[in-house]
Amino acid sequence: MRATARKLMTYTGNSDPGHTPVMLKEVIDLLQCRPGGTYVDATVGLGGHSQAILECIQPGGQLIGIDRDKESLEKAQVRLRRHSESLRLLHDNFKNLPLILNNLTSRPVDGILVDLGVSSYQLTAPERGFSFQSDAKLDMRMDRTQQWTAADLVNNLPETELADLIYRYGEERLSRRIAAAIVQERTRTPITRCSQLAEVISRVLKARGHQTIHPATRTFQALRIAVNEELEGLEGFLSRSFDFLRPGGRLVVIAFHSLEDRIVKRVFRKLAGQCVCEAPPELCTCPRQALANLITHRPMTPRPEELASNPRSRSARLRSLERR
Ligand SMILES: C[S@@+](CC[C@H](N)C(=O)[O-])C[C@H]1O[C@@H](n2cnc3c(N)ncnc32)[C@H](O)[C@@H]1O
């Protein structure tokens, strides 16, 4: 049995009952964490994946951990205090990873993990204002030093921009009707609370009949993506991070919605020298220079046991590649 697998048998990743790292075993196996290696966790969150990586890279390993959410990092720091000598935690946007790595290490790294999206802590902490189920102030900033919040978007964007945003990032077919209802409500009184916005959306969508998800799910997702500019620059970030891997080093990315996963798939195909232009073969101008091997040809999804114990993992899609 590999040392990594042995360590994971004793490590459940669930010492914090509020957060269970998604696809933990798959992540650790794919990263091929080894003692003495240097790894990056670009989305530390509450440190679930980081903890498992740190346990597999001793002695002598180093982990560089980044998150744009200061509160999460503070919690992760407490959780990971046993490993403080092997860990550098940074409050930053992962899009600055090239700059960070240029400053911190002259060597290429062995593996990079990017677990995209929001953590269950962010989603459920009422004061963070992400959830349509709470009566908190509508906020949704991952980085609370950032100025604009979801309330700023909802109260200030022109109706057509609001509708486009809800359509594009929420894939919500009734985006125009929802935007119109939001504008009508904010003319009456500013929209400041999650529950107030959820109520406006529910009124528009209740005529839709039976629904499997809460009517506000898609609109809240759209606002969250917009507030945090989650898709902007993701393609460039993934390509530039790849440059910091050593030959044989692995990039592992977990996405939670199709918009993100499409971007990850495109970057991975490009790095593996495959066509991404969708033109007929005779017109294809893709460089087709293979810099990486795809480890996952199709996205991996959580195993049934994980789905049963952590239903929040259900939308996870994991992709991995190895630098040639
Ligand atoms: C799904 S959670 C990660 C959970 C983590 N793997 C764990 O085991 O606890 C995603 C985290 O990524 C962070 N994040 C999202 N976009 C980011 C960005 N552009 N730069 C830095 N951190 C980001 C969020 O603040 C959040 O804490």
Side-chain angles (χ1 to χ4, degrees), residues 171-227:
E171 301 182 285
E172 171 61 73
R173 283 189 301 114
L174 296 184
S175 58
R176 309 237 156 260
R177 280 167 58 186
I178 292 172
I182 289 174
V183 170
Q184 197 181 27
E185 171 79 359
R186 78 188 191 196
T187 314
R188 195 179 62 78
T189 179
I191 300 174
T192 56
R193 318 223 49 101
C194 295
S195 52
Q196 184 187 2
L197 178 60
E199 173 61 32
V200 171
I201 301 164
S202 299
R203 279 203 299 266
V204 176
L205 298 193
K206 73 171 181 263
R208 241 188 193 180
H210 176 72
Q211 296 185 42
T212 49
I213 56 171
H214 187 286
T217 307
R218 293 195 178 88
T219 303
F220 270 63
Q221 172 185 297
L223 287 168
R224 195 201 84 207
I225 292 175
V227 169

Short mmCIF file of all heavy atoms in Angstrom, two decimals, residues 171-227:
data_model
loop_
_atom_site.label_atom_id
_atom_site.label_comp_id
_atom_site.label_asym_id
_atom_site.label_seq_id
_atom_site.Cartn_x
_atom_site.Cartn_y
_atom_site.Cartn_z
N GLU A 171 -27.48 30.79 -15.77
CA GLU A 171 -28.15 29.97 -16.79
C GLU A 171 -29.66 29.91 -16.46
O GLU A 171 -30.27 28.84 -16.52
CB GLU A 171 -27.49 28.61 -16.90
CG GLU A 171 -26.01 28.74 -17.26
CD GLU A 171 -25.27 27.43 -17.44
OE1 GLU A 171 -24.97 26.77 -16.44
OE2 GLU A 171 -24.99 27.07 -18.58
N GLU A 172 -30.20 31.07 -16.08
CA GLU A 172 -31.60 31.19 -15.66
C GLU A 172 -32.43 31.69 -16.85
O GLU A 172 -32.22 32.81 -17.32
CB GLU A 172 -31.68 32.17 -14.47
CG GLU A 172 -33.06 32.57 -14.04
CD GLU A 172 -33.91 31.40 -13.58
OE1 GLU A 172 -33.66 30.88 -12.50
OE2 GLU A 172 -34.83 31.02 -14.33
N ARG A 173 -33.38 30.86 -17.30
CA ARG A 173 -34.16 31.22 -18.48
C ARG A 173 -35.07 32.41 -18.23
O ARG A 173 -35.38 33.17 -19.13
CB ARG A 173 -35.00 30.01 -18.93
CG ARG A 173 -34.17 28.96 -19.67
CD ARG A 173 -35.03 27.89 -20.29
NE ARG A 173 -35.82 27.19 -19.26
CZ ARG A 173 -37.15 27.23 -19.17
NH1 ARG A 173 -37.84 27.92 -20.04
NH2 ARG A 173 -37.78 26.58 -18.22
N LEU A 174 -35.51 32.59 -16.99
CA LEU A 174 -36.44 33.69 -16.70
C LEU A 174 -35.72 34.95 -16.19
O LEU A 174 -36.26 35.72 -15.41
CB LEU A 174 -37.49 33.23 -15.69
CG LEU A 174 -38.39 32.11 -16.21
CD1 LEU A 174 -39.46 31.76 -15.20
CD2 LEU A 174 -39.05 32.48 -17.54
N SER A 175 -34.48 35.13 -16.67
CA SER A 175 -33.65 36.22 -16.16
C SER A 175 -34.29 37.59 -16.37
O SER A 175 -34.19 38.47 -15.52
CB SER A 175 -32.27 36.18 -16.83
OG SER A 175 -32.42 36.28 -18.23
N ARG A 176 -34.96 37.79 -17.52
CA ARG A 176 -35.54 39.13 -17.80
C ARG A 176 -36.66 39.44 -16.80
O ARG A 176 -36.74 40.55 -16.28
CB ARG A 176 -36.10 39.23 -19.22
CG ARG A 176 -35.13 38.79 -20.28
CD ARG A 176 -34.81 39.84 -21.34
NE ARG A 176 -33.50 39.49 -21.90
CZ ARG A 176 -32.34 40.05 -21.58
NH1 ARG A 176 -32.29 41.06 -20.75
NH2 ARG A 176 -31.21 39.64 -22.09
N ARG A 177 -37.48 38.44 -16.52
CA ARG A 177 -38.58 38.67 -15.57
C ARG A 177 -38.04 38.90 -14.16
O ARG A 177 -38.56 39.72 -13.41
CB ARG A 177 -39.56 37.50 -15.61
CG ARG A 177 -40.47 37.68 -16.85
CD ARG A 177 -41.26 36.47 -17.17
NE ARG A 177 -42.11 36.03 -16.08
CZ ARG A 177 -42.82 34.91 -16.12
NH1 ARG A 177 -42.77 34.15 -17.17
NH2 ARG A 177 -43.58 34.56 -15.11
N ILE A 178 -36.99 38.16 -13.82
CA ILE A 178 -36.42 38.36 -12.47
C ILE A 178 -35.80 39.76 -12.37
O ILE A 178 -36.02 40.48 -11.39
CB ILE A 178 -35.36 37.27 -12.17
CG1 ILE A 178 -36.05 35.91 -12.05
CG2 ILE A 178 -34.57 37.59 -10.91
CD1 ILE A 178 -35.11 34.73 -11.96
N ALA A 179 -35.07 40.18 -13.40
CA ALA A 179 -34.44 41.51 -13.37
C ALA A 179 -35.51 42.59 -13.26
O ALA A 179 -35.35 43.56 -12.51
CB ALA A 179 -33.57 41.70 -14.61
N ALA A 180 -36.61 42.41 -13.99
CA ALA A 180 -37.69 43.42 -13.94
C ALA A 180 -38.28 43.49 -12.53
O ALA A 180 -38.52 44.59 -12.00
CB ALA A 180 -38.77 43.06 -14.96
N ALA A 181 -38.46 42.33 -11.90
CA ALA A 181 -39.03 42.32 -10.54
C ALA A 181 -38.06 42.96 -9.54
O ALA A 181 -38.47 43.66 -8.61
CB ALA A 181 -39.35 40.88 -10.14
N ILE A 182 -36.77 42.72 -9.74
CA ILE A 182 -35.76 43.33 -8.85
C ILE A 182 -35.81 44.85 -8.97
O ILE A 182 -35.81 45.58 -7.98
CB ILE A 182 -34.34 42.78 -9.17
CG1 ILE A 182 -34.24 41.31 -8.73
CG2 ILE A 182 -33.26 43.63 -8.52
CD1 ILE A 182 -32.94 40.61 -9.11
N VAL A 183 -35.89 45.32 -10.21
CA VAL A 183 -35.91 46.77 -10.43
C VAL A 183 -37.18 47.38 -9.82
O VAL A 183 -37.14 48.44 -9.19
CB VAL A 183 -35.76 47.09 -11.93
CG1 VAL A 183 -36.03 48.57 -12.21
CG2 VAL A 183 -34.36 46.70 -12.41
N GLN A 184 -38.28 46.67 -9.96
CA GLN A 184 -39.54 47.16 -9.37
C GLN A 184 -39.41 47.25 -7.83
O GLN A 184 -39.78 48.27 -7.24
CB GLN A 184 -40.66 46.20 -9.74
CG GLN A 184 -42.03 46.78 -9.56
CD GLN A 184 -43.10 45.75 -9.93
OE1 GLN A 184 -42.87 44.54 -9.83
NE2 GLN A 184 -44.24 46.22 -10.36
N GLU A 185 -38.84 46.22 -7.24
CA GLU A 185 -38.69 46.21 -5.77
C GLU A 185 -37.73 47.33 -5.32
O GLU A 185 -38.01 48.03 -4.37
CB GLU A 185 -38.14 44.84 -5.33
CG GLU A 185 -37.73 44.73 -3.87
CD GLU A 185 -38.90 44.55 -2.91
OE1 GLU A 185 -40.06 44.53 -3.36
OE2 GLU A 185 -38.64 44.47 -1.68
N ARG A 186 -36.60 47.49 -6.02
CA ARG A 186 -35.61 48.47 -5.54
C ARG A 186 -36.08 49.91 -5.75
O ARG A 186 -35.57 50.83 -5.13
CB ARG A 186 -34.24 48.23 -6.20
CG ARG A 186 -34.12 48.73 -7.61
CD ARG A 186 -32.82 48.28 -8.25
NE ARG A 186 -32.60 48.96 -9.51
CZ ARG A 186 -31.73 48.59 -10.43
NH1 ARG A 186 -30.98 47.53 -10.25
NH2 ARG A 186 -31.59 49.27 -11.53
N THR A 187 -37.08 50.11 -6.65
CA THR A 187 -37.65 51.44 -6.82
C THR A 187 -38.49 51.78 -5.59
O THR A 187 -38.56 52.92 -5.15
CB THR A 187 -38.55 51.47 -8.09
OG1 THR A 187 -37.84 50.83 -9.13
CG2 THR A 187 -38.90 52.88 -8.51
N ARG A 188 -39.07 50.74 -5.01
CA ARG A 188 -39.89 50.91 -3.82
C ARG A 188 -39.01 51.09 -2.58
O ARG A 188 -39.16 52.02 -1.82
CB ARG A 188 -40.77 49.65 -3.67
CG ARG A 188 -41.94 49.75 -2.74
CD ARG A 188 -42.73 48.44 -2.70
NE ARG A 188 -41.98 47.29 -2.21
CZ ARG A 188 -41.73 47.05 -0.92
NH1 ARG A 188 -42.16 47.86 0.00
NH2 ARG A 188 -41.04 45.98 -0.56
N THR A 189 -38.01 50.18 -2.45
CA THR A 189 -37.11 50.22 -1.29
C THR A 189 -35.82 49.47 -1.66
O THR A 189 -35.87 48.47 -2.37
CB THR A 189 -37.78 49.57 -0.04
OG1 THR A 189 -36.86 49.61 1.03
CG2 THR A 189 -38.20 48.15 -0.28
N PRO A 190 -34.64 49.92 -1.19
CA PRO A 190 -33.41 49.22 -1.54
C PRO A 190 -33.44 47.75 -1.10
O PRO A 190 -34.05 47.43 -0.07
CB PRO A 190 -32.32 49.97 -0.77
CG PRO A 190 -32.91 51.29 -0.43
CD PRO A 190 -34.40 51.10 -0.34
N ILE A 191 -32.80 46.89 -1.90
CA ILE A 191 -32.75 45.45 -1.54
C ILE A 191 -31.47 45.24 -0.74
O ILE A 191 -30.37 45.36 -1.29
CB ILE A 191 -32.77 44.58 -2.81
CG1 ILE A 191 -34.06 44.85 -3.60
CG2 ILE A 191 -32.63 43.10 -2.46
CD1 ILE A 191 -34.13 44.16 -4.94
N THR A 192 -31.61 44.95 0.53
CA THR A 192 -30.42 44.87 1.38
C THR A 192 -30.23 43.49 2.00
O THR A 192 -29.15 43.19 2.49
CB THR A 192 -30.49 45.90 2.52
OG1 THR A 192 -31.72 45.67 3.23
CG2 THR A 192 -30.48 47.34 1.98
N ARG A 193 -31.29 42.65 2.01
CA ARG A 193 -31.17 41.38 2.73
C ARG A 193 -31.35 40.20 1.78
O ARG A 193 -32.08 40.29 0.77
CB ARG A 193 -32.24 41.30 3.86
CG ARG A 193 -32.37 42.61 4.58
CD ARG A 193 -32.47 42.54 6.06
NE ARG A 193 -31.56 41.77 6.84
CZ ARG A 193 -30.51 42.29 7.53
NH1 ARG A 193 -30.20 43.55 7.44
NH2 ARG A 193 -29.77 41.53 8.29
N CYS A 194 -30.69 39.09 2.13
CA CYS A 194 -30.79 37.87 1.30
C CYS A 194 -32.24 37.44 1.17
O CYS A 194 -32.72 37.12 0.08
CB CYS A 194 -30.00 36.73 1.94
SG CYS A 194 -28.24 37.01 2.02
N SER A 195 -32.96 37.43 2.31
CA SER A 195 -34.34 36.92 2.30
C SER A 195 -35.23 37.80 1.43
O SER A 195 -36.14 37.31 0.76
CB SER A 195 -34.89 36.86 3.72
OG SER A 195 -34.71 38.11 4.33
N GLN A 196 -34.95 39.10 1.42
CA GLN A 196 -35.77 40.03 0.62
C GLN A 196 -35.60 39.71 -0.87
O GLN A 196 -36.58 39.62 -1.62
CB GLN A 196 -35.29 41.46 0.93
CG GLN A 196 -36.07 42.55 0.27
CD GLN A 196 -35.40 43.92 0.50
OE1 GLN A 196 -34.33 44.01 1.13
NE2 GLN A 196 -36.02 44.96 -0.02
N LEU A 197 -34.35 39.49 -1.27
CA LEU A 197 -34.10 39.17 -2.69
C LEU A 197 -34.71 37.80 -3.04
O LEU A 197 -35.34 37.64 -4.09
CB LEU A 197 -32.59 39.17 -2.96
CG LEU A 197 -32.18 38.79 -4.38
CD1 LEU A 197 -32.77 39.76 -5.41
CD2 LEU A 197 -30.65 38.77 -4.52
N ALA A 198 -34.53 36.83 -2.13
CA ALA A 198 -35.07 35.49 -2.39
C ALA A 198 -36.59 35.55 -2.56
O ALA A 198 -37.16 34.87 -3.43
CB ALA A 198 -34.69 34.55 -1.24
N GLU A 199 -37.23 36.41 -1.77
CA GLU A 199 -38.69 36.54 -1.82
C GLU A 199 -39.13 37.14 -3.17
O GLU A 199 -40.07 36.66 -3.81
CB GLU A 199 -39.09 37.44 -0.63
CG GLU A 199 -40.53 37.87 -0.55
CD GLU A 199 -41.49 36.70 -0.42
OE1 GLU A 199 -41.11 35.70 0.19
OE2 GLU A 199 -42.62 36.81 -0.96
N VAL A 200 -38.40 38.14 -3.64
CA VAL A 200 -38.72 38.77 -4.94
C VAL A 200 -38.63 37.72 -6.05
O VAL A 200 -39.52 37.60 -6.90
CB VAL A 200 -37.74 39.94 -5.23
CG1 VAL A 200 -37.92 40.47 -6.65
CG2 VAL A 200 -37.92 41.05 -4.22
N ILE A 201 -37.56 36.92 -6.02
CA ILE A 201 -37.35 35.92 -7.07
C ILE A 201 -38.43 34.83 -6.97
O ILE A 201 -38.99 34.40 -7.97
CB ILE A 201 -35.94 35.28 -6.96
CG1 ILE A 201 -34.87 36.37 -7.08
CG2 ILE A 201 -35.73 34.21 -8.02
CD1 ILE A 201 -33.49 35.92 -6.62
N SER A 202 -38.71 34.42 -5.74
CA SER A 202 -39.71 33.35 -5.55
C SER A 202 -41.07 33.77 -6.11
O SER A 202 -41.78 32.96 -6.69
CB SER A 202 -39.87 33.00 -4.07
OG SER A 202 -38.65 32.54 -3.58
N ARG A 203 -41.41 35.07 -5.93
CA ARG A 203 -42.71 35.55 -6.43
C ARG A 203 -42.77 35.39 -7.95
O ARG A 203 -43.77 35.00 -8.52
CB ARG A 203 -42.92 37.02 -6.05
CG ARG A 203 -43.41 37.18 -4.61
CD ARG A 203 -44.13 38.52 -4.41
NE ARG A 203 -43.27 39.66 -4.67
CZ ARG A 203 -42.57 40.32 -3.74
NH1 ARG A 203 -42.62 39.94 -2.49
NH2 ARG A 203 -41.82 41.34 -4.09
N VAL A 204 -41.64 35.69 -8.63
CA VAL A 204 -41.62 35.59 -10.10
C VAL A 204 -41.73 34.13 -10.53
O VAL A 204 -42.41 33.80 -11.50
CB VAL A 204 -40.30 36.18 -10.67
CG1 VAL A 204 -40.22 35.98 -12.17
CG2 VAL A 204 -40.16 37.63 -10.30
N LEU A 205 -41.02 33.25 -9.82
CA LEU A 205 -40.89 31.87 -10.30
C LEU A 205 -41.95 30.91 -9.76
O LEU A 205 -41.98 29.76 -10.16
CB LEU A 205 -39.50 31.32 -9.96
CG LEU A 205 -38.31 32.05 -10.60
CD1 LEU A 205 -37.05 31.23 -10.45
CD2 LEU A 205 -38.54 32.33 -12.08
N LYS A 206 -42.80 31.41 -8.86
CA LYS A 206 -43.72 30.43 -8.25
C LYS A 206 -44.71 29.86 -9.27
O LYS A 206 -45.18 28.75 -9.13
CB LYS A 206 -44.39 30.96 -7.00
CG LYS A 206 -45.45 31.99 -7.17
CD LYS A 206 -46.12 32.21 -5.80
CE LYS A 206 -47.22 33.23 -5.93
NZ LYS A 206 -46.89 34.58 -5.58
N ALA A 207 -44.94 30.60 -10.38
CA ALA A 207 -45.85 30.11 -11.42
C ALA A 207 -45.24 28.94 -12.20
O ALA A 207 -45.92 28.28 -12.96
CB ALA A 207 -46.18 31.24 -12.38
N ARG A 208 -43.96 28.69 -11.96
CA ARG A 208 -43.29 27.64 -12.72
C ARG A 208 -43.70 26.22 -12.32
O ARG A 208 -43.32 25.25 -12.96
CB ARG A 208 -41.78 27.76 -12.45
CG ARG A 208 -40.95 28.03 -13.66
CD ARG A 208 -39.52 27.90 -13.17
NE ARG A 208 -38.57 28.42 -14.13
CZ ARG A 208 -37.26 28.42 -13.91
NH1 ARG A 208 -36.78 27.97 -12.77
NH2 ARG A 208 -36.43 28.86 -14.81
N GLY A 209 -44.41 26.12 -11.23
CA GLY A 209 -44.84 24.80 -10.77
C GLY A 209 -43.72 24.10 -10.01
O GLY A 209 -42.84 24.75 -9.45
N HIS A 210 -43.73 22.75 -10.04
CA HIS A 210 -42.79 21.97 -9.23
C HIS A 210 -41.34 22.24 -9.63
O HIS A 210 -40.99 22.25 -10.81
CB HIS A 210 -43.09 20.48 -9.40
CG HIS A 210 -42.10 19.63 -8.69
ND1 HIS A 210 -42.08 19.52 -7.32
CD2 HIS A 210 -41.07 18.89 -9.16
CE1 HIS A 210 -41.08 18.73 -6.98
NE2 HIS A 210 -40.46 18.33 -8.06
N GLN A 211 -40.50 22.49 -8.63
CA GLN A 211 -39.08 22.72 -8.93
C GLN A 211 -38.24 21.87 -8.01
O GLN A 211 -38.59 21.67 -6.85
CB GLN A 211 -38.73 24.19 -8.69
CG GLN A 211 -39.47 25.10 -9.63
CD GLN A 211 -39.02 26.53 -9.45
OE1 GLN A 211 -37.84 26.79 -9.31
NE2 GLN A 211 -39.95 27.44 -9.45
N THR A 212 -37.11 21.40 -8.54
CA THR A 212 -36.26 20.55 -7.70
C THR A 212 -35.31 21.39 -6.86
O THR A 212 -34.81 20.92 -5.85
CB THR A 212 -35.43 19.59 -8.58
OG1 THR A 212 -34.82 20.37 -9.61
CG2 THR A 212 -36.28 18.50 -9.17
N ILE A 213 -35.04 22.62 -7.28
CA ILE A 213 -34.16 23.48 -6.48
C ILE A 213 -34.94 24.73 -6.06
O ILE A 213 -35.96 25.05 -6.65
CB ILE A 213 -32.89 23.88 -7.26
CG1 ILE A 213 -33.26 24.56 -8.59
CG2 ILE A 213 -31.99 22.69 -7.50
CD1 ILE A 213 -32.08 25.19 -9.30
N HIS A 214 -34.40 25.42 -5.05
CA HIS A 214 -35.04 26.66 -4.59
C HIS A 214 -35.03 27.66 -5.76
O HIS A 214 -34.05 27.76 -6.50
CB HIS A 214 -34.24 27.21 -3.40
CG HIS A 214 -34.90 28.39 -2.75
ND1 HIS A 214 -34.92 29.65 -3.32
CD2 HIS A 214 -35.57 28.50 -1.58
CE1 HIS A 214 -35.57 30.48 -2.53
NE2 HIS A 214 -35.97 29.81 -1.46
N PRO A 215 -36.13 28.40 -5.94
CA PRO A 215 -36.21 29.32 -7.09
C PRO A 215 -35.07 30.33 -7.16
O PRO A 215 -34.72 30.80 -8.25
CB PRO A 215 -37.55 30.04 -6.89
CG PRO A 215 -38.25 29.36 -5.78
CD PRO A 215 -37.35 28.37 -5.14
N ALA A 216 -34.48 30.66 -6.02
CA ALA A 216 -33.43 31.70 -6.03
C ALA A 216 -32.03 31.13 -6.31
O ALA A 216 -31.07 31.89 -6.45
CB ALA A 216 -33.43 32.44 -4.70
N THR A 217 -31.91 29.81 -6.42
CA THR A 217 -30.58 29.20 -6.53
C THR A 217 -29.76 29.79 -7.67
O THR A 217 -28.60 30.20 -7.49
CB THR A 217 -30.72 27.66 -6.76
OG1 THR A 217 -31.54 27.13 -5.74
CG2 THR A 217 -29.36 26.98 -6.75
N ARG A 218 -30.35 29.84 -8.86
CA ARG A 218 -29.57 30.26 -10.04
C ARG A 218 -29.20 31.74 -9.97
O ARG A 218 -28.10 32.13 -10.33
CB ARG A 218 -30.35 29.98 -11.31
CG ARG A 218 -30.52 28.51 -11.59
CD ARG A 218 -30.97 28.26 -13.02
NE ARG A 218 -31.07 26.85 -13.27
CZ ARG A 218 -32.17 26.13 -13.03
NH1 ARG A 218 -33.25 26.71 -12.58
NH2 ARG A 218 -32.18 24.84 -13.26
N THR A 219 -30.14 32.56 -9.50
CA THR A 219 -29.85 34.00 -9.43
C THR A 219 -28.77 34.26 -8.38
O THR A 219 -27.86 35.08 -8.60
CB THR A 219 -31.13 34.79 -9.10
OG1 THR A 219 -32.10 34.47 -10.09
CG2 THR A 219 -30.87 36.28 -9.09
N PHE A 220 -28.85 33.58 -7.24
CA PHE A 220 -27.81 33.77 -6.22
C PHE A 220 -26.45 33.31 -6.74
O PHE A 220 -25.43 33.95 -6.49
CB PHE A 220 -28.19 33.05 -4.92
CG PHE A 220 -28.99 33.91 -3.97
CD1 PHE A 220 -30.25 34.40 -4.34
CD2 PHE A 220 -28.50 34.28 -2.74
CE1 PHE A 220 -30.99 35.23 -3.48
CE2 PHE A 220 -29.22 35.10 -1.86
CZ PHE A 220 -30.47 35.57 -2.24
N GLN A 221 -26.43 32.19 -7.48
CA GLN A 221 -25.15 31.73 -8.06
C GLN A 221 -24.59 32.80 -9.00
O GLN A 221 -23.40 33.13 -8.96
CB GLN A 221 -25.34 30.42 -8.83
CG GLN A 221 -24.07 30.03 -9.61
CD GLN A 221 -24.24 28.81 -10.50
OE1 GLN A 221 -24.51 27.73 -10.00
NE2 GLN A 221 -24.08 28.96 -11.80
N ALA A 222 -25.48 33.37 -9.83
CA ALA A 222 -25.03 34.37 -10.80
C ALA A 222 -24.43 35.58 -10.10
O ALA A 222 -23.36 36.07 -10.49
CB ALA A 222 -26.21 34.80 -11.67
N LEU A 223 -25.10 36.04 -9.05
CA LEU A 223 -24.61 37.23 -8.34
C LEU A 223 -23.27 36.94 -7.68
O LEU A 223 -22.35 37.76 -7.69
CB LEU A 223 -25.63 37.68 -7.29
CG LEU A 223 -26.88 38.34 -7.88
CD1 LEU A 223 -27.96 38.48 -6.82
CD2 LEU A 223 -26.53 39.72 -8.46
N ARG A 224 -23.16 35.74 -7.11
CA ARG A 224 -21.90 35.36 -6.44
C ARG A 224 -20.75 35.35 -7.44
O ARG A 224 -19.67 35.88 -7.17
CB ARG A 224 -22.09 33.96 -5.85
CG ARG A 224 -21.08 33.58 -4.84
CD ARG A 224 -21.02 32.08 -4.72
NE ARG A 224 -20.17 31.51 -5.74
CZ ARG A 224 -20.31 30.27 -6.22
NH1 ARG A 224 -21.28 29.50 -5.81
NH2 ARG A 224 -19.47 29.83 -7.13
N ILE A 225 -20.99 34.76 -8.61
CA ILE A 225 -19.93 34.69 -9.62
C ILE A 225 -19.53 36.09 -10.06
O ILE A 225 -18.35 36.40 -10.22
CB ILE A 225 -20.40 33.84 -10.83
CG1 ILE A 225 -20.55 32.38 -10.40
CG2 ILE A 225 -19.45 33.97 -12.00
CD1 ILE A 225 -21.13 31.47 -11.48
N ALA A 226 -20.55 36.97 -10.21
CA ALA A 226 -20.26 38.33 -10.67
C ALA A 226 -19.53 39.13 -9.60
O ALA A 226 -18.52 39.78 -9.88
CB ALA A 226 -21.57 39.02 -11.06
N VAL A 227 -20.01 39.06 -8.36
CA VAL A 227 -19.39 39.85 -7.28
C VAL A 227 -17.91 39.48 -7.15
O VAL A 227 -17.04 40.34 -6.98
CB VAL A 227 -20.09 39.59 -5.92
CG1 VAL A 227 -19.30 40.18 -4.76
CG2 VAL A 227 -21.48 40.17 -5.93
#
